[in-house]
Amino acid sequence: MKAAHIKLLAQVPLLAGLPTEQIDSLAKACRFEQMARGENIIERNDTSRRLYFLLSGQVRMLDVNRQGQEIALAIIDAPTHFGELSVIDGYPRSAAVQATCRCELASVGVRDAETLIYNVPQVSRRIMQNLALVIRKNNLHRQVLQQQNIANRLAAYLLSQLPDDRDTSQDFCIKNMPVQYDMAILLGTTRESISRALTFLNEEGLVRKEGKNLYIQNTEGLRQLLEDE
Amino acid sequence: MKAAHIKLLAQVPLLAGLPTEQIDSLAKACRFEQMARGENIIERNDTSRRLYFLLSGQVRMLDVNRQGQEIALAIIDAPTHFGELSVIDGYPRSAAVQATCRCELASVGVRDAETLIYNVPQVSRRIMQNLALVIRKNNLHRQVLQQQNIANRLAAYLLSQLPDDRDTSQDFCIKNMPVQYDMAILLGTTRESISRALTFLNEEGLVRKEGKNLYIQNTEGLRQLLEDE
């Protein structure tokens, strides 16, 4: 365990503002590890109950449908936590979690995770707020998936990523946009369709891609697209 | 406030095992009311942050899709609580809540709700467990909605209602089965299609309806149906 690890751990929103001693003692209980792109961090239906902190990188949460097809439930960026569902309810993992790029991780066993979640009031409150957010996002995502046309589905997804309090006079930047493979499994379609949909939105002057960032140039235009369907 | 109300309140799982004095003091803070079938208890996007206890009856949680069509997110029976999302995250109501039959309700304002949720450890823990359950159910429900054929969708829904620990030697009874109207908005289809699907499953010897109860006679048969698709 290095000082750099502890510093990254302290930046995880779930742990923000905890006293230094508490972060240090959590760090002592943590297992630190690195994962390569594509590696599985959690397997679906696994009975492990560790709580994970994503210190750097990005992971995808994957479910499979009845046809054995992979569907991404979410793609999340560091710094964040994941794996709290099985800590809380004791059921097997509902989703697989996979590194989309090189990731640094910390994790604690279920006893330490429970102590943190149930005995530290700020953490309890944030866990509840985060679960509430997941429920609201799932509702939005279900609405996104109801769009028939893939460009519209992508437009609905992009609109769902906009924060309420953004500066509307500027292009909004979605940093570290998931790659086309991940967008495809997130939106229930193929990589080719995502590629075509992005080209279409770009040609309509609604979005532009710059490296890993995607800029939304015309929010109203994206909304119009959905209303025209 | 009657003694009968307090007795019903104490039966809400979220409050199970709380000391009598705590239930009494919660009851004093409660507003008690009755709702007729079809009445709205919560309007979508409303900014009220009350926490509700359903003492008797059944409610449906409704969202609307972009086309303005109603979709049921869930149908829940007394005794239970609802409305905790807005208490926790402060955002407007994500779903409308409507009485599917005559209901008795108790509710507390956001201050009392926060005290209950954040300051009573058993309640905090149950709130987290319940939110985790909602997330897992939403994942299952999304899989149900992926079924193309309505009889298969209904079969997938029925299978998702089976508890893990049921007695497999007996027909499983789903008590207080939602009416066809509710099944239709829950499964994204019409009442007529639900009626046809129920008739089909019945003729195949897989389920039978007795009054408000639905008996699953052949779990394996329901599974087979999904695998044959």
Side-chain angles (χ1 to χ4, degrees):
Chain A
M1 183 177 64
K2 303 175 221 153
H5 280 151
I6 302 183
K7 207 174 153 195
L8 285 171
L9 195 62
Q11 281 166 18
V12 171
L14 184 67
L15 309 173
L18 291 194
T20 318
E21 313 83 69
Q22 210 156 10
I23 297 282
D24 285 348
S25 108
L26 181 69
K28 282 202 188 85
C30 274
R31 183 174 83 197
F32 289 88
E33 58 198 320
Q34 290 202 339
M35 291 283 178
R37 176 179 163 186
E39 255 189 291
N40 277 349
I41 301 159
I42 292 178
E43 308 272 356
R44 209 174 110 79
N45 292 327
D46 196 281
T47 54
S48 123
R49 294 177 65 196
R50 299 186 75 78
L51 177 67
Y52 287 84
F53 303 103
L54 182 61
L55 305 181
S56 72
Q58 188 188 57
V59 299
R60 58 175 80 100
M61 325 276 246
L62 287 176
D63 201 355
V64 283
N65 65 14
R66 292 198 60 84
Q67 285 74 40
Q69 225 176 358
E70 284 185 331
I71 338 168
L73 302 172
I75 290 162
I76 58 173
D77 293 292
T80 192
H81 68 281
F82 61 88
E84 72 277 33
L85 278 201
S86 295
V87 176
I88 293 167
D89 66 15
Y91 285 106
R93 302 295 190 177
S94 60
V97 182
Q98 216 172 54
T100 73
C101 59
R102 187 192 172 84
C103 289
E104 286 182 292
L105 290 156
S107 63
V108 286
V110 64
R111 295 283 159 266
D112 291 307
E114 284 179 334
T115 306
L116 180 71
I117 288 178
Y118 296 131
N119 298 356
V120 186
Q122 300 108 293
V123 175
S124 301
R125 195 183 267 247
R126 284 187 196 134
I127 284 279
M128 289 187 224
Q129 286 169 343
N130 192 63
L131 293 175
L133 184 69
V134 170
I135 293 172
R136 291 190 190 259
K137 275 194 177 167
N138 284 352
N139 287 350
L140 263 182
H141 193 211
R142 205 201 47 244
Q143 289 184 15
V144 166
L145 292 177
Q146 281 172 1
Q147 296 288 332
Q148 296 296 318
N149 176 300
I150 302 303
N152 291 9
R153 206 176 282 183
L154 181 57
Y157 170 80
L158 294 174
L159 288 171
S160 77
Q161 300 297 300
L162 295 176
D164 295 338
D165 59 350
R166 73 183 185 287
D167 176 358
T168 49
S169 67
Q170 296 201 352
D171 291 356
F172 180 76
C173 173
I174 299 182
K175 280 182 194 149
N176 215 356
M177 177 84 181
V179 295
Q180 290 186 4
Y181 167 79
D182 279 314
M183 287 306 301
I185 51 177
L186 198 56
L187 300 186
T189 183
T190 60
R191 211 194 53 73
E192 292 69 27
S193 303
I194 291 291
S195 171
R196 273 195 299 273
L198 266 174
T199 305
F200 173 77
L201 295 185
N202 177 253
E203 285 173 358
E204 294 286 312
L206 303 174
V207 306
R208 74 171 185 283
K209 197 106 195 297
E210 286 181 15
K212 285 188 163 186
N213 297 341
L214 187 117
Y215 291 86
I216 297 183
Q217 303 176 168
N218 184 347
T219 315
E220 252 338 288
L222 288 176
R223 286 223 174 80
Q224 203 59 51
L225 204 66
L226 294 178
E227 279 166 22
D228 291 350
E229 187 176 64
Chain B
M1 184 179 63
K2 303 175 220 152
H5 279 151
I6 302 183
K7 207 174 152 195
L8 286 171
L9 195 61
Q11 282 166 17
V12 171
L14 185 66
L15 309 173
L18 291 194
T20 318
E21 313 83 69
Q22 210 157 9
I23 297 281
D24 286 347
S25 108
L26 181 69
K28 282 200 188 86
C30 274
R31 183 174 83 195
F32 290 88
E33 58 198 320
Q34 290 202 339
M35 291 282 178
R37 176 181 164 184
E39 254 187 293
N40 279 349
I41 300 158
I42 292 178
E43 309 272 356
R44 207 172 110 79
N45 292 327
D46 195 282
T47 54
S48 123
R49 295 178 64 195
R50 297 186 77 77
L51 177 68
Y52 287 85
F53 304 103
L54 182 61
L55 305 180
S56 72
Q58 188 189 56
V59 298
R60 58 175 80 101
M61 325 274 245
L62 287 175
D63 199 354
V64 283
N65 65 13
R66 293 198 58 84
Q67 286 74 40
Q69 225 175 357
E70 284 185 330
I71 338 168
L73 302 173
I75 291 163
I76 57 173
D77 292 293
T80 192
H81 68 280
F82 61 87
E84 72 277 34
L85 278 202
S86 295
V87 175
I88 293 166
D89 67 14
Y91 285 107
R93 300 296 190 178
S94 61
V97 182
Q98 215 171 54
T100 73
C101 59
R102 187 192 173 85
C103 289
E104 285 182 292
L105 290 157
S107 64
V108 286
V110 64
R111 295 285 159 265
D112 291 307
E114 284 179 334
T115 305
L116 180 72
I117 288 177
Y118 297 130
N119 298 356
V120 185
Q122 302 108 292
V123 176
S124 300
R125 194 183 267 247
R126 284 186 197 135
I127 284 278
M128 289 187 224
Q129 286 168 343
N130 192 63
L131 293 175
L133 185 68
V134 170
I135 292 172
R136 290 190 191 259
K137 276 195 178 167
N138 285 354
N139 287 352
L140 264 183
H141 193 212
R142 203 201 49 245
Q143 289 184 16
V144 166
L145 292 177
Q146 281 172 2
Q147 296 289 331
Q148 296 296 319
N149 175 300
I150 302 303
N152 292 10
R153 206 176 281 183
L154 181 57
Y157 171 80
L158 294 174
L159 288 172
S160 77
Q161 299 298 299
L162 295 176
D164 295 337
D165 59 350
R166 73 184 186 286
D167 176 359
T168 49
S169 67
Q170 297 202 350
D171 292 355
F172 180 77
C173 173
I174 299 182
K175 280 182 193 150
N176 215 356
M177 177 82 180
V179 296
Q180 290 186 5
Y181 167 78
D182 280 314
M183 287 307 300
I185 51 177
L186 199 56
L187 300 186
T189 183
T190 60
R191 210 194 55 71
E192 291 70 25
S193 303
I194 290 292
S195 171
R196 273 195 300 273
L198 266 174
T199 304
F200 172 77
L201 296 184
N202 177 253
E203 285 171 359
E204 296 285 312
L206 303 174
V207 306
R208 73 172 186 282
K209 195 107 196 294
E210 285 181 15
K212 284 188 164 186
N213 297 342
L214 187 117
Y215 291 85
I216 297 183
Q217 303 177 165
N218 184 347
T219 315
E220 254 336 289
L222 288 176
R223 286 222 175 81
Q224 203 58 52
L225 205 66
L226 295 180
E227 278 165 24
D228 291 349
E229 188 175 59

